[in-house]
Amino acid sequence: MELVRLSGIAKTYNSVDPVSALREIDLSIEQGSFVSLQGTSGSGKSTLLNILGLLDQPDSGSYVFQEREMMTSSEAVRTSLRARDIGFVFQSFHLLSHKNAIENVATGLLYRDDSLFENRELPEMALESVGLSHRKFHRPAELSGGERQRVALARAVVGKPKLVLCDEPTGNLDRKNANLILSLLRSICDEGITVIIVTHDREIADSASDRYILDDGRIAKR
Amino acid sequence: MRLKRIGGEAYLNLARTFRKSILTSSGIAIGTCILIVVVTLSQTSSAHLNQQIDSFNVNSLTVQSASEIPINAKSESIAAHFPEVTASGRAWMVTALTPISLFTSDEINGANVVQSPVFAASPGGLRAIGAQVSSGRLFDTGMALRRENVVILGTLLSRELGIALVMAPRVLFIDGQPYSIVGVASNFNGFPLAATGVIVLPHSVKSILSSNLNTLGSGAQYSPTLFIHTRPNWATAVASRIAFALSPRNVSGLVVSSPANTYLLSHVIAQTTTRFLIALALLSALFGGLVIGNTLYLSALTRISEIGLRRALGAKRIDIWLQFVAESLLLSFAGSVVGISIGEVGLVTFTSLYGWVPVERWTLPLEVLALGVAVGLIAGLIPARTAARIEPVRALQR
């Protein structure tokens, strides 16, 4: 089943010298697939990820998410979809420093319209799935880089989203922790969640089922 | 449900960043503390002031001539016949600036010469204006009957002349004429100016004026004022009858001070004082609000990354706005409660030191609390708007 379909997506940043970040992007992603995006700095990877995550709007083209056109959807609809169906994992973790691990994971349910936030078991289960139930009351400052990224991963999947977008999730990690994160992403994928990962890491990119390269705003399949 | 969650987030954020929250809310705490202290102190001092003015007004009145009707010894005698009158007599300024020189037996080679106003007062007049002896004695009826050349120094002039105590006989020259100093007096409640000069008996006025004619010219004598002191709360009653008693054919020729007018004056003074202090207090609260607003604004700028994350997790702009507003509300509420509590404790301590009874309406703490929260809320609106407008894509790049 097709989860994401991009057709003719273009995005230009208007400044003194306008920069075309994306040009005529066509992309189709199936539900449950593991997709990697590679490219040099400035090739448009993050822009594409932001558009896929409904954080940014393209200038033209069509973006169909779960069979619904996003180009004409209101901000309220896109925000609601982000809360319910999209999870994010960032290179710099973006954990809230004043919250402990379990509270950070629960933040992933905070803005949903349903009552999942009141379910205390879901964050516990998500933290357990990344092997950190023994560290649930530790704050980010008390966790290692790998542990922080696992907490961020648990936060991304706690609400059982359809799509998890990872922006260089292993960029700040050593090989051992990078592999651990990769295996966790694979297991997420096995549960039917679509994972799109932007990475410079060739090994991680090669392990994806669908591999794409972005170059100067254009996408090509490897 | 969503509001409860966001309120919880705001509380958690403030509770977990406790020191920062304390510092932020201290601004509103200081503001509300000052507000409640100043408002209550102003009410207390106003009440105190009123009490003091009232105590004077209800016991005293003055009569002045607006035409040719003389205020003289006979006027004093008529006023003294009122059963409610406890003291009555004349007092007035004779000259504004006259050379006063002081000689004593061991100061034969020189004199301390000053320019001073000269006042005249009858013995009853001194009592009626509330003069109290600092040293020596006041005028008595015998001195007046014997037409003695005696003077009393006001406290301010006595300091200028270096006379604190009247122990040995001293002679003071007013424009070259000798007078014996019999005392130093203070507390001229009804005629405060008298503290700045020398006071003679009424019979001395003629000779002082005659020696001053060259400099003052004729008609320089100021009008005598009849001061009347009554039993408590009888001043109004005496005021209504005294003009008729003194001048039955020309009542309008006399000006009788009305206690009601002075009551109005005291009311205006108290009201003005209260308004001034409240304005100061509101200014303090405004500064408190500015502190909160500034801190929240800086907080919004330093939390851009967090705001970006929350937007990525599905927070709407209104959610971010609500969280910042909730935080400013919680901070200003906590700050106000602390400020009011400190203010109340400080007030009780301060007023008890002076033996005052605090005057505070029971709704004041609630009003100040509402004002503190309102100031915090208003101060938090701009930072909340700034935070809500932050674009998630840019915020996440931080």
Side-chain angles (χ1 to χ4, degrees):
Chain A
M1 181 187 163
E2 190 180 53
L3 179 73
V4 168
R5 190 175 72 244
L6 302 181
S7 311
I9 290 291
K11 177 77 179 177
T12 300
Y13 291 111
N14 292 312
S15 57
V16 180
D17 290 320
V19 178
S20 291
L22 297 175
R23 305 164 198 254
E24 298 299 320
I25 300 286
D26 295 320
L27 181 66
S28 175
I29 297 172
E30 292 293 314
Q31 178 76 50
S33 57
F34 189 178
V35 180
S36 70
L37 287 172
Q38 276 189 290
T40 55
S41 293
S43 59
K45 303 187 298 293
S46 295
T47 304
L48 181 57
L49 211 64
N50 287 334
I51 288 172
L52 287 167
L54 305 174
L55 291 169
D56 205 356
Q57 277 283 76
D59 296 331
S60 60
S62 164
Y63 174 19
V64 177
F65 180 69
Q66 289 184 302
E67 299 177 342
R68 190 169 180 177
E69 179 56 66
M70 292 293 107
M71 293 294 284
T72 52
S73 298
S74 65
E75 188 181 329
V77 168
R78 283 184 274 125
T79 306
S80 180
L81 284 171
R82 277 205 304 275
R84 197 182 62 226
D85 291 327
I86 301 174
F88 291 90
V89 180
F90 306 98
Q91 181 178 359
S92 51
F93 321 129
H94 282 296
L95 297 178
L96 298 175
S97 59
H98 63 276
K99 290 186 169 187
N100 60 32
I102 193 81
E103 288 167 342
N104 263 293
V105 173
T107 310
L109 302 170
L110 183 67
Y111 299 105
R112 290 176 68 109
D113 293 324
D114 52 31
S115 60
L116 280 188
F117 183 70
E118 276 67 44
N119 187 339
R120 297 286 111 180
E121 286 180 7
L122 284 175
E124 298 260 7
M125 286 162 58
L127 209 52
E128 194 178 340
S129 70
V130 296
L132 282 177
S133 47
H134 63 293
R135 306 281 270 165
K136 62 182 176 184
F137 296 122
H138 289 253
R139 292 200 189 181
E142 300 160 348
L143 300 173
S144 70
E147 287 173 328
R148 288 182 206 178
Q149 196 59 297
R150 280 148 70 192
V151 172
L153 194 55
R155 180 183 62 196
V157 299
V158 66
K160 305 280 182 221
K162 300 283 188 304
L163 176 65
V164 171
L165 300 167
C166 310
D167 191 358
E168 298 279 3
T170 58
N172 285 341
L173 303 180
D174 58 24
R175 174 52 54 195
K176 184 183 167 193
N177 277 303
N179 287 337
L180 185 56
I181 294 296
L182 180 62
S183 65
L184 288 169
L185 288 172
R186 281 185 170 288
S187 61
I188 288 167
C189 211
D190 292 341
E191 289 173 22
I193 296 173
T194 306
V195 175
I196 300 177
I197 184 168
V198 165
T199 182
H200 280 111
D201 189 322
R202 183 73 183 250
E203 196 174 323
I204 289 176
D206 287 346
S207 65
S209 54
D210 297 304
R211 300 180 289 279
Y212 292 91
I213 290 183
L214 269 161
D215 183 28
D216 197 23
R218 298 179 196 282
I219 197 164
K221 192 160 187 174
R222 264 180 64 206
Chain B
M1 182 73 81
R2 198 177 181 91
L3 265 179
K4 190 181 163 190
R5 284 184 204 168
I6 290 165
E9 280 294 293
Y11 169 76
L12 199 65
N13 181 46
L14 296 179
R16 295 283 172 83
T17 53
F18 191 65
R19 279 187 212 163
K20 199 178 88 182
S21 303
I22 288 286
L23 282 174
T24 309
S25 63
S26 63
I28 208 81
I30 292 166
T32 49
C33 176
I34 292 173
L35 185 63
I36 199 148
V37 167
V38 171
V39 170
T40 306
L41 266 186
S42 69
Q43 287 175 338
T44 305
S45 58
S46 291
H48 189 68
L49 187 68
N50 262 328
Q51 196 181 9
Q52 284 190 318
I53 294 172
D54 281 352
S55 71
F56 179 74
N57 290 338
V58 295
N59 296 344
S60 304
L61 67 139
T62 59
V63 183
Q64 283 181 302
S65 175
S67 59
E68 297 300 314
I69 301 167
I71 299 289
N72 52 26
K74 191 181 170 189
S75 311
E76 290 186 23
S77 175
I78 292 170
H81 275 86
F82 278 78
E84 302 90 349
V85 172
T86 55
S88 67
R90 290 162 293 156
W92 71 102
M93 178 185 270
V94 180
T95 63
L97 283 175
T98 298
I100 304 286
S101 49
L102 180 70
F103 283 94
T104 58
S105 55
D106 55 349
E107 289 170 337
I108 54 174
N109 292 325
N112 185 9
V113 181
V114 297
Q115 295 285 323
S116 165
V118 176
F119 301 94
S122 63
L126 279 181
R127 287 200 307 278
I129 62 177
Q132 288 181 358
V133 180
S134 300
S135 178
R137 55 193 292 202
L138 294 179
F139 297 145
D140 59 32
T141 317
M143 291 174 186
L145 287 173
R146 291 189 296 274
R147 301 177 71 81
E148 290 180 8
N149 284 336
V150 288
V151 293
I152 287 171
L153 302 181
T155 40
L156 297 177
L157 178 64
S158 75
R159 273 183 221 151
E160 195 175 351
L161 292 170
I163 301 172
L165 296 169
V166 182
M167 302 290 283
R170 283 195 152 188
V171 176
L172 182 135
F173 287 80
I174 301 175
D175 211 17
Q177 297 178 56
Y179 292 83
S180 297
I181 304 171
V182 294
V184 176
S186 61
N187 281 14
F188 304 95
N189 285 339
F191 194 21
L193 204 58
T196 63
V198 58
I199 304 159
V200 300
L201 280 162
H203 70 259
S204 303
V205 170
K206 195 174 179 182
S207 63
I208 291 171
L209 285 175
S210 64
S211 63
N212 273 276
L213 274 177
N214 290 336
T215 52
L216 296 169
S218 59
Q221 180 179 350
Y222 294 85
S223 305
T225 299
L226 181 63
F227 288 85
I228 298 171
H229 192 264
T230 68
R231 286 195 275 129
N233 301 316
W234 281 97
T236 310
V238 173
S240 65
R241 290 179 286 148
I242 190 71
F244 184 76
L246 294 175
S247 175
R249 293 181 182 175
N250 186 10
V251 174
S252 60
L254 292 172
V255 178
V256 180
S257 73
S258 164
N261 287 341
T262 44
Y263 172 77
L264 189 65
L265 177 69
S266 80
H267 179 69
V268 168
I269 291 170
Q271 199 177 41
T272 307
T273 311
T274 306
R275 280 180 185 165
F276 174 70
L277 291 172
I278 285 176
L280 276 180
L282 286 173
L283 205 61
S284 310
L286 182 68
F287 280 129
L290 283 176
V291 170
I292 269 205
N294 189 43
T295 313
L296 284 171
Y297 188 73
L298 288 175
S299 170
L301 295 182
T302 56
R303 289 166 65 188
I304 286 178
S305 163
E306 178 194 329
I307 293 163
L309 170 77
R310 290 183 185 276
R311 292 297 308 279
L313 295 178
K316 297 170 186 163
R317 287 182 196 276
I318 187 74
D319 294 331
I320 302 295
W321 185 87
L322 276 174
Q323 179 167 341
F324 270 75
V325 168
E327 287 182 16
S328 66
L329 272 176
L330 285 170
L331 282 174
S332 52
F333 180 80
S336 299
V337 169
V338 170
I340 290 167
S341 307
I342 294 172
E344 293 289 357
V345 171
L347 267 175
V348 171
T349 311
F350 184 81
T351 50
S352 64
L353 280 176
Y354 287 90
W356 294 356
V357 178
V359 178
E360 182 186 314
R361 59 179 182 275
W362 69 271
T363 54
L364 184 66
L366 297 176
E367 289 166 23
V368 173
L369 178 66
L371 183 71
V373 171
V375 167
L377 176 65
I378 292 165
L381 286 178
I382 292 175
R385 186 163 161 264
T386 306
R389 284 186 164 189
I390 292 171
E391 287 298 330
V393 174
R394 284 189 180 180
L396 286 167
Q397 286 168 352
R398 297 284 180 113

